[in-house]
Amino acid sequence: MENESIPQPQNRSTGALVIFLIFLLPMPLCLLTYHFVVWSMEQSAIMSLSAKNLAWAGLIGLAVQAVVMTGIMAVLWYFTKDDRFKPVYTGLFGAAVMAFPALLLRLIGTNNDQLGSIMQFVLCSIGAGIVIALRKNKIEWGRASLPFGLLIAGIGFLPFAIYGSFGSFGDAFLGLLASLAFGFLAAMLIGETGNLFLDGICIGAVLALLGSAIGYDGSQLILLAILPAFAFAIAAVMPSKLAAGAVTSMLAFAALTMFDPTELTALLGDIAGIASKTTVIVIGLGIITSLTALILRFATGSGSGARAKRIIGWAGAGVVWASVIAAFFIFGHPGNYGDRLFVILKDQADISAVVKIKDRDERLTAAYQQLTAHANSTQAGLRSFFDKADVAYTPYYLENAMEVQGGTLIRLYLMTRPEVERIIPSPRLRAAPEDSPSPGNLTDANGVQWNISMIGADKVWDEFGVRGAGIVVGQSDSGVDGKHPVITKQYRGYNASDDYNWFDPWDGTTSPNDEGGHGTHTTGVILGANGIGVAPEAKWIGCVNLDRNLGNPALYLDCMQFMLAPFPQGGNPLTDGDPTKAAHVLNNSWGCPTLEGCDPNALLPATDNLRNAGIFVVVSAGNDGPMCETVESPPSLYDSAFSVGAFDQFGNVADFSSRGPVTADGSGRVKPDIIAPGVDILSSTPEGTYAQFSGTSMAGPHVVGVVALIWSAQPKLIGDIDATEQLIIDTAKPYTGDTSAGCFSGGVPNNAYGYGVVDVYAAVKQALGK
């Protein structure tokens, strides 16, 4: 579309053309396939700590690509005698070399998107500067073609506007800077052969190499898929560097910012699916746009009607981008979905003295008062600064911490504050289609289940008449379907109020509901009627700390606080909590891994304080077995939590059940503490249905029910965590199952099964002195 013609190269060679096509034509698809395999290996490490060595796959994979592709491009450049391909191989060599500094992006870790954008901007800017400094020929900016570049970019951006969503303003701004630098570097590296078809192949290869290097955590797959699809459209606006840079920049902006790279994980699944659908649509639009651009370029040439073309171009670009903006606000997900910061203060309250208080309500009240007073005092300076700076934050007291809505600048400021110990991510999910309840495939529970009988719960009911009455279970999970017939009457707010009984820090719902199904199932295992629950007369209160199977340290802490001092709907946890309404025993069928922002000690003070207050904290050990050292995610690794592994109906430890010893915090402690049924467990699911689930998430609730039966039978043990733990340990059955695979070395306690198999009948019998 430019007036200047490109000088025709000399020394044409058929052999050189064949080699060019063999190496460059399949390159985008080959790189996409290669990086999908590498990404899948990384996901395996995220899905299970037993595969944690594969976490280095991304770094190693890119390093291999850097060496191999740089070497190939250097050889092709050196040996080619065809003048058409010398500048092409020069640009491809530069794109391949970028993989070396881009290795730094694979080291920044999850939930550091702003730092990643800054690094992408710096790497691409330096790379572009070097390319410009080494160029010998004049840069063809081609401003007249810019509107056509913007028009093409808008077409590719449209699906992202509909299905994607932005993070915070800082995320979007830094992502835009990174994308502009990426597009500028790409435009500088694109070489021209004088043939539109060959140029398109060259551009696709350059963009594939750059996208695979600069993208990370899954965004490289989107870049690899969509950028080459527009290669021939970019070729049609060449030699304009401005137009080529505009197309590449805006497409990169969509890929890097409209989907959070950390959320493109197989652990979530939903965002990866939406991103895949969006990518497929964009690929289709890219192919159509490329074909259209090439036809128009051949049909109109580049030498006539330049002014009219510019007018048409700007008009078309305006219409397309107006459509993008309208689609975003009408069909998309506008809003601020940025990640936050979890700030842990150095001065943590010591409430260990409350253990000596005999009266339960007095002990809980003293713990609450000491913790809130300490938080109000030590956080005063930070709160004052944030109030003046108009920075939103949430203070916490169970652990002296704050969640702050800020990015890199706020992090840098907090690092200068003497009262701050450390800052970790507190990731927030971006907008996506809401979860709908997941009903099970069965409509009846059919009496007492094998798992209930296996631990002796039904014998406790029949022989001692103990079914959990008087005990309140704190259930923090994806929610609970409060209308399910086997758990509805056990809700403490049944036929009463949801105040002090239900809290949803994710969505602000005011009555029990479950968008996933996980929480309804685990609640049923604890206290479901009709033979599915261990303690069917216990009561429950609920809190939502998981949304689409993901949480963060702040939201986990929200629910832990609610269980110590419940508050009314819309109440302030620091002032409106009522510790006399606290739960007795907590079920925690969740863990907070690095993906969710936690480091090993992220929730340690909170867990310790709950124990000191007399609340029994039961935690599922995790599903990262069978390798050793896979009890790693808080709070399962803590000594103050009672961690539970899983076994099947044949008495064998489940392969997925996480094992100790705990190495994440350097303690080397043995975990789990005990094992309970956790394979093919039948329990309640939303909409009055039932289903069989497997996981330590199902094992932990059994032990919650065990504690409820013990304390219901022997109220003198309520709040005495040490004695109750010792009772469960002393009455556990020896493990006699398979030890052929997994981490079974050593005696008792053992890092695969702890002290053995939980036996609630023996525990209650001993508690009653019979």
Side-chain angles (χ1 to χ4, degrees):
M1 295 182 181
E2 301 300 316
N3 292 327
E4 293 85 355
S5 61
I6 302 171
Q8 295 300 309
Q10 305 300 314
N11 301 321
R12 293 174 180 270
S13 166
T14 302
L17 175 61
V18 171
I19 292 174
F20 173 88
L21 294 174
I22 288 174
F23 278 98
L24 270 61
L25 189 59
M27 187 180 295
L29 181 58
C30 290
L31 285 174
L32 177 59
T33 303
Y34 173 71
H35 279 275
F36 179 77
V37 172
V38 170
W39 176 82
S40 299
M41 295 169 68
E42 291 180 298
Q43 291 304 303
S44 297
I46 293 174
M47 297 292 286
S48 174
L49 289 171
S50 288
K52 58 187 174 183
N53 290 335
L54 294 178
W56 296 101
L59 182 69
I60 296 171
L62 185 59
V64 170
Q65 174 185 311
V67 172
V68 172
M69 297 308 297
T70 300
I72 290 175
M73 293 310 144
V75 169
L76 291 175
W77 176 86
Y78 183 80
F79 286 103
T80 187
K81 303 301 181 184
D82 193 317
D83 291 343
R84 292 175 296 177
F85 303 131
K86 275 286 187 184
V88 169
Y89 292 139
T90 300
L92 286 165
F93 176 81
V97 167
M98 284 300 299
F100 286 105
L103 290 170
L104 294 172
L105 292 167
R106 301 307 199 275
L107 299 174
I108 63 174
T110 58
N111 298 308
N112 286 300
D113 300 338
Q114 291 195 3
L115 176 60
S117 294
I118 292 171
M119 292 176 65
Q120 288 168 331
F121 171 75
V122 171
L123 292 177
C124 291
S125 297
I126 293 174
I130 293 173
V131 172
I132 291 174
L134 295 176
R135 284 183 69 97
K136 297 180 180 179
N137 55 329
K138 180 182 177 182
I139 298 175
E140 187 66 56
W141 294 110
R143 287 176 295 178
S145 295
L146 177 60
F148 293 97
L150 293 172
L151 188 155
I152 293 169
I155 293 172
F157 201 99
L158 182 60
F160 286 96
I162 296 173
Y163 295 109
S165 58
F166 287 109
S168 67
F169 174 80
D171 294 333
F173 177 73
L174 292 173
L176 178 61
L177 290 182
S179 302
L180 290 172
F182 178 89
F184 186 53
L185 172 61
M188 293 299 104
L189 290 173
I190 292 172
E192 297 168 73
T193 66
N195 179 285
L196 280 175
F197 178 73
L198 298 182
D199 285 348
I201 295 173
C202 161
I203 292 169
V206 169
L207 296 180
L209 282 171
L210 279 182
S212 63
I214 301 302
Y216 65 96
D217 275 1
S219 62
Q220 72 271 29
L221 298 178
I222 301 178
L223 289 169
L224 270 166
I226 68 171
L227 292 179
F230 287 84
F232 291 98
I234 296 173
V237 299
M238 291 295 287
S240 170
K241 297 296 186 182
L242 276 179
V247 178
T248 308
S249 294
M250 297 314 296
L251 291 175
F253 180 57
L256 295 175
T257 62
M258 296 304 289
F259 291 108
D260 185 340
T262 305
E263 292 182 23
L264 297 173
T265 172
L267 197 64
L268 272 176
D270 52 2
I271 290 297
I274 294 170
S276 298
K277 179 174 70 173
T278 305
T279 299
V280 170
I281 295 172
V282 174
I283 291 173
L285 290 174
I287 293 171
I288 294 171
T289 303
S290 289
L291 291 174
T292 303
L294 287 175
I295 292 170
L296 291 174
R297 175 70 180 265
F298 283 122
T300 62
S302 60
S304 61
R307 186 171 184 275
K309 290 179 184 178
R310 284 196 296 270
I311 294 173
I312 294 172
W314 282 113
V319 169
V320 168
W321 280 100
S323 300
V324 169
I325 295 170
F328 177 68
F329 284 101
I330 296 173
F331 305 108
H333 305 95
N336 184 341
Y337 304 102
D339 292 343
R340 304 177 186 182
L341 304 173
F342 190 69
V343 184
I344 301 172
L345 277 64
K346 294 177 182 176
D347 189 359
Q348 295 292 326
D350 180 4
I351 64 165
S352 56
V354 304
V355 174
K356 300 176 182 178
I357 301 174
K358 299 300 182 181
D359 183 83
R360 180 173 186 264
D361 286 350
E362 289 182 12
R363 179 179 177 182
L364 289 162
T365 300
Y368 177 67
Q369 291 175 346
Q370 291 179 31
L371 289 168
T372 53
H374 185 80
N376 288 331
S377 172
T378 56
Q379 295 175 16
L382 277 177
R383 294 184 194 178
S384 176
F385 169 79
F386 289 135
D387 288 338
K388 293 176 182 177
D390 197 27
V391 174
Y393 64 92
T394 301
Y396 292 93
Y397 69 84
L398 185 61
E399 177 168 335
N400 197 9
M402 306 174 76
E403 187 190 51
V404 181
Q405 294 187 33
T408 302
L409 292 178
I410 297 296
R411 179 190 287 269
L412 292 174
Y413 167 75
L414 289 169
M415 290 172 64
T416 68
R417 296 287 300 213
E419 67 266 51
V420 173
E421 179 181 277
R422 66 191 189 279
I423 306 153
I424 59 178
S426 189
R428 289 272 174 163
L429 289 169
R430 297 192 189 178
E434 291 292 330
D435 272 356
S436 57
S438 302
N441 58 350
L442 301 173
T443 58
D444 190 5
N446 294 320
V448 177
Q449 299 300 304
W450 69 266
N451 47 299
I452 302 301
S453 297
M454 199 166 190
I455 66 171
D458 54 338
K459 290 178 65 178
V460 172
W461 308 339
D462 297 338
E463 188 169 329
F464 305 123
V466 174
R467 301 171 69 88
I471 303 302
V472 177
V473 171
Q475 169 70 334
S476 299
D477 210 297
S478 63
V480 184
D481 181 358
K483 296 180 181 180
H484 198 291
V486 298
I487 56 178
T488 184
K489 291 183 179 179
Q490 294 94 313
Y491 174 49
R492 194 171 67 179
Y494 179 72
N495 284 340
S497 171
D498 293 306
D499 288 342
Y500 304 100
N501 298 316
W502 179 257
F503 179 42
D504 183 357
W506 269 108
D507 299 320
T509 61
T510 56
S511 61
N513 66 93
D514 188 359
E515 293 183 353
H518 188 267
T520 302
H521 194 277
T522 55
T523 304
V525 175
I526 299 168
L527 46 70
N530 299 342
I532 68 169
V534 178
E537 290 184 6
K539 300 294 185 183
W540 64 270
I541 60 176
C543 184
V544 182
N545 64 5
L546 292 173
D547 188 18
R548 290 156 43 209
N549 201 36
L550 203 72
N552 64 36
L555 287 159
Y556 289 133
L557 190 53
D558 276 317
C559 288
M560 296 171 85
Q561 288 188 162
F562 182 74
M563 297 306 165
L564 171 66
F567 45 85
Q569 298 294 317
N572 184 337
L574 279 86
T575 58
D576 300 329
D578 185 351
T580 66
K581 293 181 171 63
H584 291 89
V585 54
L586 308 186
N587 180 58
N588 302 279
S589 291
W590 53 268
C592 185
T594 304
L595 181 73
E596 296 180 340
C598 283
D599 62 20
N601 291 323
L603 298 173
L604 177 59
T607 309
D608 288 349
N609 288 332
L610 286 170
R611 185 186 182 98
N612 286 328
I615 296 175
F616 200 111
V617 181
V618 178
V619 185
S620 298
N623 302 322
D624 294 302
M627 303 299 290
C628 297
E629 302 178 10
T630 49
V631 177
E632 183 173 300
S633 299
S636 63
L637 72 163
Y638 301 147
D639 186 51
S640 50
F642 201 64
S643 306
V644 187
F647 67 86
D648 62 22
Q649 62 189 28
F650 305 107
N652 300 319
V653 172
D655 284 345
F656 58 73
S657 188
S658 292
R659 274 81 155 161
V662 175
T663 58
D665 62 357
S667 66
R669 73 174 60 91
V670 174
K671 285 285 182 176
D673 295 294
I674 207 159
I675 56 173
V679 180
D680 294 333
I681 304 300
L682 182 70
S683 185
S684 48
T685 45
E687 300 181 2
T689 60
Y690 302 84
Q692 289 182 329
F693 288 177
S694 297
T696 59
S697 286
M698 286 63 250
H702 284 83
V703 177
V704 175
V706 167
V707 174
L709 290 180
I710 292 172
W711 284 3
S712 179
Q714 183 51 274
K716 291 181 180 180
L717 285 172
I718 292 176
D720 192 341
I721 313 299
D722 290 343
T724 305
E725 284 184 344
Q726 195 60 50
L727 175 62
I728 296 172
I729 289 169
D730 289 344
T731 57
K733 295 178 181 177
Y735 177 72
T736 58
D738 184 20
T739 59
S740 61
C743 186
F744 287 95
S745 60
V748 178
N750 186 276
N751 282 305
Y753 51 81
Y755 287 92
V757 178
V758 67
D759 184 348
V760 68
Y761 175 76
V764 171
K765 185 176 182 180
Q766 183 167 311
L768 292 173
K770 297 187 177 182

